[in-house]
Amino acid sequence: MKILSIAKKSLLELWREPLLLGLLLFFPVVLVGFYYLAFGHTEGGLAAYLDVLVANNDAGTTLPNQSTWQAGNELLDVIQAAEFEDQPIFDVAVVADPHSAEITLRERKAAMLVVIPPNFSQALVEGMAGTGPVSPAAVALVGDPNNGNFMFARSFMEGLVRQYTLQTMQWSDEHFAVNYEFLPGTGTMSDFDFGVAGIIIFGIAFVVITTATVLVRENVQGTLPRLRLTRARAGDLLIGVTLGQMAVIVVQMLLTFGAARVLGFQNNGSLLLVIIIGLLFSLAAVGAGLLVACFARNDGEVANLGSAVLVPLVFLSGALFPMPKAPLFTIGGRTIEAYDILPATHTAAAMRKVLIFGDGLADIGYELVMMTVLSALILIVGIVMYQRLQLRKG
């Protein structure tokens, strides 16, 4: 009951501060509007340097002179050697697992997947001999048609495949064809749809400031010293404040999601699962707010310190826009980036998988585990620091 009473008190204090409560609830809603104006009607910009995945499934073939010909390897060499103004066009990565490649495309960490079929060499040989199909170059270019990087990469890649095939086959253009395949769920997705998850995360991260504001005012107004004289334990206070902030987060997420839907956001997943993801991430925001409250002495310092924590927590995670590669090491075939130490990184990945691609709980297991562990770690550090620096003072 003490925890619920403190949670109620925390909510009442927010209610008495309409400006602060309005900022927490409606800032992400306003941000949705700005994001829609900027990206809701565009297909994204062009990339000067493109990450391309290549799945070379070509099995090769035996020529009449008994030598082995690997046309897939030759095409891969052509793609890797392609240059524009003396600079490489593509950053090529050869992949063997199509599922992992699709995840990379979904997360927009690559522009395109080029799939070279198993019978590529054999089809070319049959075509040159006049015994094969009319269009043996069944190379598939897989990507998101609403991703500007894919469209830009496709314009180069189609020309390279066309040139290699026609030179090899000595055919005319009318015999040439390339297959295009689009990722499931991306046919109508815009950059606005892709960015909604980041906006939700940005809104949740504002809890850093509201949590710190509530606790600093407890100290400034003399409430905290009086709480030390009661039977309320430190855990009661901190859990109560956390529950109060999480209750506001649920309302905030519903408002943000509703505004996005009104503006045309296409949701393909479970809203309940998204709320659960958001609440788990809010633990990290509350923990960061506790750390800010350890050192801030008034509202002005809360705003300054809170912003210094909030901005890198969100912007360096790739929640709002892609970040450059920063690999640290590889474990079990998974590359760990420097940004993976931020819970917002995994929150953004999980939310996008659910909202955009309709993935379920089983599909975001890794992201949920990492997000929960990192959020819990930040919350624990915040609790320990606040207990030592504030609750045990005097």
Side-chain angles (χ1 to χ4, degrees), residues 85-372:
E85 296 184 351
D86 298 324
Q87 294 293 330
I89 298 176
F90 305 115
D91 184 9
V92 180
V94 180
V95 297
D97 182 9
H99 179 68
S100 298
E102 182 174 321
I103 292 176
T104 302
L105 287 178
R106 286 182 172 186
E107 296 175 348
R108 295 198 176 185
K109 294 180 180 178
M112 172 188 292
L113 169 63
V114 180
V115 181
I116 303 174
N119 64 336
F120 184 63
S121 296
Q122 182 62 33
L124 291 179
V125 170
E126 293 174 357
M128 287 185 287
T131 61
V134 176
S135 301
V139 176
L141 307 183
V142 184
D144 173 11
N146 291 109
N147 185 349
N149 289 357
F150 170 69
M151 304 303 291
F152 190 40
R154 192 180 77 174
S155 65
F156 281 104
M157 189 64 68
E158 181 177 344
L160 289 174
V161 177
R162 179 188 300 272
Q163 180 182 16
Y164 170 78
T165 305
L166 296 182
Q167 287 181 351
T168 302
M169 302 289 298
Q170 297 182 352
W171 275 4
S172 58
D173 280 0
E174 60 265 21
H175 291 102
F176 176 83
V178 174
N179 294 334
Y180 300 108
E181 298 179 14
F182 301 138
L183 289 173
T186 62
T188 59
M189 184 179 68
S190 67
D191 281 353
F192 171 67
D193 294 322
F194 189 79
V196 166
I199 296 173
I200 293 175
I201 292 170
F202 196 14
I204 296 172
F206 258 90
V207 168
V208 172
I209 294 178
T210 57
T211 299
T213 299
V214 168
L215 292 173
V216 167
R217 287 180 180 178
E218 295 276 16
N219 205 8
V220 171
Q221 295 171 359
T223 307
L224 194 58
R226 290 195 296 271
L227 282 173
R228 295 192 194 105
L229 300 177
T230 68
R231 294 183 178 181
R233 295 171 297 179
D236 297 331
L237 171 65
L238 299 179
I239 295 176
V241 170
T242 300
L243 290 178
Q245 298 297 318
M246 292 175 74
V248 178
I249 284 298
V250 173
V251 178
Q252 180 210 71
M253 291 181 68
L254 292 174
L255 289 172
T256 306
F257 182 81
R261 289 284 290 177
V262 169
L263 293 174
F265 172 65
Q266 302 295 320
N267 174 43
N268 297 307
S270 167
L271 177 58
L272 177 60
L273 184 54
V274 170
I275 291 176
I276 292 173
I277 294 171
L279 289 177
L280 288 174
F281 174 61
S282 70
L283 297 178
V286 171
L290 291 173
L291 291 173
V292 171
C294 289
F295 306 100
R297 293 169 295 181
N298 51 57
D299 289 358
E301 291 186 359
V302 166
N304 293 333
L305 292 176
S307 298
V309 173
L310 183 152
V311 170
L313 181 66
V314 177
F315 282 85
L316 293 181
S317 68
L320 292 175
F321 50 82
M323 295 297 295
K325 292 182 178 179
L328 296 177
F329 50 86
T330 300
I331 298 179
R334 183 184 294 272
T335 300
I336 305 300
E337 306 268 348
Y339 317 111
D340 287 338
I341 63 174
L342 298 174
T345 300
H346 307 286
T347 306
M351 278 197 180
R352 287 191 178 117
K353 285 184 177 182
V354 175
L355 287 174
I356 297 176
F357 304 109
D359 288 353
L361 188 62
D363 302 305
I364 58 173
Y366 170 78
E367 288 80 8
L368 278 181
V369 170
M370 293 300 298
M371 175 181 57
T372 303

